[in-house]
């Protein structure tokens, strides 16, 4: 057996064939078109495979993302397309590949690794934990919103520059360029809904679907709250069926407005499974953000295999890194051993905001 290692350029077609056979047996497109920035020649150094002779046995891909938030800029290693040949499962191949992806994430100074899965116990073995928040709102019924002078359409033939301009108004999100947006717009099964003002300017957009995933889910959107409400109202009337909007917790005004729509239902879930890859660097970033809020004595550290969390001398210690992931990204567990004033101070800093838009999920 050879690997875990990055494929050579001439092996990429074989790797994609392995992924298509195992992960997309019923699709008439290649999985590479669903993840155009991850499963691409430009990211080949972050793909890991194990091979035997000419055969690919196991695979995973790492896609480093820079995520800007108002307080902290994170580097996040998204991991996806984790799969082992059906005949070779249960031999530790995926664990080997994932460990190598995590080592690569660390080498590239990612603060955390993040993945989307329902195999919670499989990933908990590697100390991933469900963490950070994802809000979802289902629009069950048609509703009216003020849409005076706006025009709507559903078509992906829209300037990537215009989408990118609105995307850049988000306070939390990955750093993207126009070429990335152009690639994302070509993902199979993408429905792009847009709203235009009387001058022909794009004022809001919403993206539903992404290859085999996220049908019925709006996972990317941009524009002002009022223009987005008008767009969602139009989409609901056009579709004639309920759909779900996914949002980060920081989108407070839009969440409030959507919750107020009659018949809207709201759910809170997790962003994904997260594992710290550069703990010291991550703790440093959070402590710097705390200092900018006037909190100079936040304790967030690891000493001799013990994680320490608190303020000043009021500190708790624990050994499971998954508890630290929850403390940092939420939901912050009840910590009865800390004084109420310490919890109050901690809650000014934690959980930190982390959000990944749908096009970045792999
Ligand atoms: C999940 C998958 C990648 C695991 O690959 P693998 O090479 O068999 O995994 P490993 O042999 O490294 O497994 C290591 C451990 O995880 C456990 N494990 C494997 N599959 C698991 C599952 N579905 N749920 C929980 N634990 C699982 C194994 O029992 C083993 O545990 P042990 O070390 O305590 O004995 C493989 O089953 C697969 O390709 N599934 C289909 C694609 C898929 O679902 N991918 C995950 C998408 S997020």
């Amino acid at each position: 057996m050879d690997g875990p290692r990055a494929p050579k350029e001439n092996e990429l077609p074989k790797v994609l064939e392995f992924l298509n056979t195992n992960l997309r047996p019923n699709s008439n497109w290649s999985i590479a078109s669903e993840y155009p920035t991850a499963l691409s020649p430009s990211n080949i150094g972050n793909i890991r495979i194990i091979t035997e002779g000419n055969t690919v046995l196991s695979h995973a891909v790492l896609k480093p993302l820079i995520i800007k938030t108002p307080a902290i800029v994170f580097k996040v290693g998204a991991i996806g397309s984790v799969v082992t040949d059906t005949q070779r499962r249960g031999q530790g191949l995926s664990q080997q590949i994932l460990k190598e992806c995590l080592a690569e994430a660390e080498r590239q100074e990612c603060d955390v690794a993040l993945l989307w899965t329902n195999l919670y116990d499989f990933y908990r073995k590697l100390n991933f934990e469900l963490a950070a928040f994802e809000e979802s709102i289902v629009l069950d019924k048609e509703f009216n919103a003020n849409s005076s002078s706006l025009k709507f359409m559903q078509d992906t033939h829209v300037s990537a520059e215009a989408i990118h301009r609105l995307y850049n108004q988000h306070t939390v999100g990955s750093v993207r360029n126009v070429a990335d947006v152009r690639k994302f717009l070509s993902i199979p099964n993408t429905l792009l809904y847009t709203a235009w003002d009387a001058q022909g300017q794009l004022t809001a957009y919403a993206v539903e679907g992404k290859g085999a995933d996220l049908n019925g889910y709006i996972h990317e959107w941009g524009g002002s709250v009022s223009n987005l409400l008008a767009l969602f109202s139009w989409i609901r009337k056009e579709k004639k069926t309920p759909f779900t909007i996914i949002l980060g917790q920081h989108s407070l005004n839009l969440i409030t407005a959507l919750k107020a729509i009659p018949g809207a239902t709201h759910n809170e879930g997790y962003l994904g499974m997260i594992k710290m890859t550069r703990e010291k660097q991550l703790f440093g970033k959070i402590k710097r953000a705390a200092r900018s809020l006037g909190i100079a004595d936040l304790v967030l550290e690891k000493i001799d295999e013990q994680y320490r969390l608190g303020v000043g001398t009021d500190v708790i210690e624990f050994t499971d890194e998954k508890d630290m992931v929850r403390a940092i990204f939420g939901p912050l567990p009840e910590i009865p051993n800390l004084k109420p004033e310490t919890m109050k101070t901690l809650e000014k800093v934690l959980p930190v905001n982390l959000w990944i838009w749908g096009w970045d999920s792999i």
Side-chain angles (χ1 to χ4, degrees), residues 33-34 36 156 179-190 359:
S33 60
E34 289 184 44
T156 49
D180 294 331
V181 174
R182 197 165 291 123
K183 286 180 198 154
F184 292 140
L185 283 171
S186 306
I187 295 175
N189 276 355
T190 296
W359 273 338

Side-chain angles (χ1 to χ4, degrees), residues 23 58 82-84 88-95 116-117 119 121-123 125:
L23 297 175
S58 193
V82 180
V83 57
T84 296
R88 304 301 284 267
R89 291 185 185 167
Q91 299 173 8
L93 300 187
S94 260
Q95 295 273 325
W116 295 263
T117 181
L119 302 179
D121 291 334
F122 177 64
Y123 289 104
K125 289 195 172 113

Side-chain angles (χ1 to χ4, degrees), residues 296-313:
D297 51 355
L298 177 71
V299 178
L300 192 61
E301 60 194 8
K302 186 182 183 186
I303 298 177
D304 298 335
E305 301 309 308
Q306 290 284 320
Y307 291 96
R308 303 181 77 246
L309 173 70
V311 177
T313 54

Side-chain angles (χ1 to χ4, degrees), residues 30-304:
S30 169
I31 193 166
S33 60
E34 289 184 44
Y35 308 119
T37 56
L39 295 174
S40 67
S42 61
N43 196 47
I44 197 166
N46 292 320
I47 295 176
R48 289 293 176 273
I49 53 170
I50 295 175
T51 56
E52 192 169 63
N54 255 338
T55 311
V56 179
L57 300 181
S58 193
H59 170 277
V61 60
L62 170 77
K63 173 66 186 159
L65 302 166
I66 310 270
I67 306 289
K68 284 198 196 167
T69 77
I72 301 173
V73 176
F74 293 105
K75 195 162 179 190
V76 174
I79 293 178
S81 295
V82 180
V83 57
T84 296
D85 183 299
T86 45
Q87 306 298 315
R88 304 301 284 267
R89 291 185 185 167
Q91 299 173 8
L93 300 187
S94 260
Q95 295 273 325
Q96 278 185 55
I97 291 236
L98 285 162
K99 280 181 189 151
E100 189 40 46
C101 286
L102 291 169
E104 187 58 39
E106 193 183 334
R107 275 194 287 277
Q108 293 184 34
E109 306 197 342
C110 294
D111 305 299
V112 295
L114 192 150
L115 47 81
W116 295 263
T117 181
N118 49 14
L119 302 179
Y120 307 133
D121 291 334
F122 177 64
Y123 289 104
R124 281 193 181 115
K125 289 195 172 113
L126 290 165
N127 284 326
F128 280 85
E129 188 49 270
L130 281 168
F133 299 96
E134 177 186 277
E135 310 287 324
S136 59
I137 293 177
V138 186
L139 297 179
D140 282 316
K141 295 195 188 118
E142 288 184 14
F143 65 100
N144 291 319
N146 181 9
S147 60
S148 53
S149 76
L150 289 181
K151 285 204 171 81
F152 304 101
M153 70 177 203
Q154 187 229 298
D155 189 347
T156 49
H157 293 102
V158 168
S159 126
E161 284 82 359
I163 303 276
H164 189 243
R165 183 175 48 79
L166 283 187
Y167 172 79
N168 274 340
Q169 291 172 7
H170 287 306
T171 55
V172 180
S174 63
V175 176
R176 292 176 181 166
N177 57 36
V178 173
D180 294 331
V181 174
R182 197 165 291 123
K183 286 180 198 154
F184 292 140
L185 283 171
S186 306
I187 295 175
N189 276 355
T190 296
L191 297 177
L192 174 67
Y193 306 97
T194 46
W196 305 81
D197 69 12
Q199 285 73 47
Q201 289 284 315
L202 182 72
T203 63
Y205 69 91
V207 182
E208 178 191 339
K210 185 186 178 203
D213 298 322
L214 297 170
N215 291 320
Y217 288 85
I218 287 184
H219 56 86
E220 291 263 344
W221 43 263
S224 68
V225 170
S226 60
N227 289 332
L228 279 164
L229 285 181
L231 180 59
F232 293 147
S233 163
W234 179 79
I235 298 170
R236 184 64 188 79
K237 287 175 190 167
E238 286 287 302
K239 284 178 80 71
K240 300 188 171 60
T241 53
F243 62 91
T244 304
I245 301 159
I246 308 177
L247 312 96
Q249 251 198 342
H250 61 281
S251 304
L252 287 175
N253 295 338
L254 185 57
I255 292 171
T256 306
L258 288 171
K259 277 183 177 171
I261 294 171
T265 45
H266 169 240
N267 292 298
E268 198 172 79
Y270 298 104
L271 173 62
M273 291 194 88
I274 302 179
K275 177 188 160 61
M276 296 183 286
T277 40
R278 295 249 302 182
E279 293 174 338
K280 211 168 161 193
Q281 170 181 279
L282 175 65
F283 299 160
K285 286 184 179 186
I286 296 167
K287 284 194 269 196
R288 273 197 298 282
R291 275 199 293 280
S292 72
L293 295 171
I295 302 163
D297 51 355
L298 177 71
V299 178
L300 192 61
E301 60 194 8
K302 186 182 183 186
I303 298 177
D304 298 335

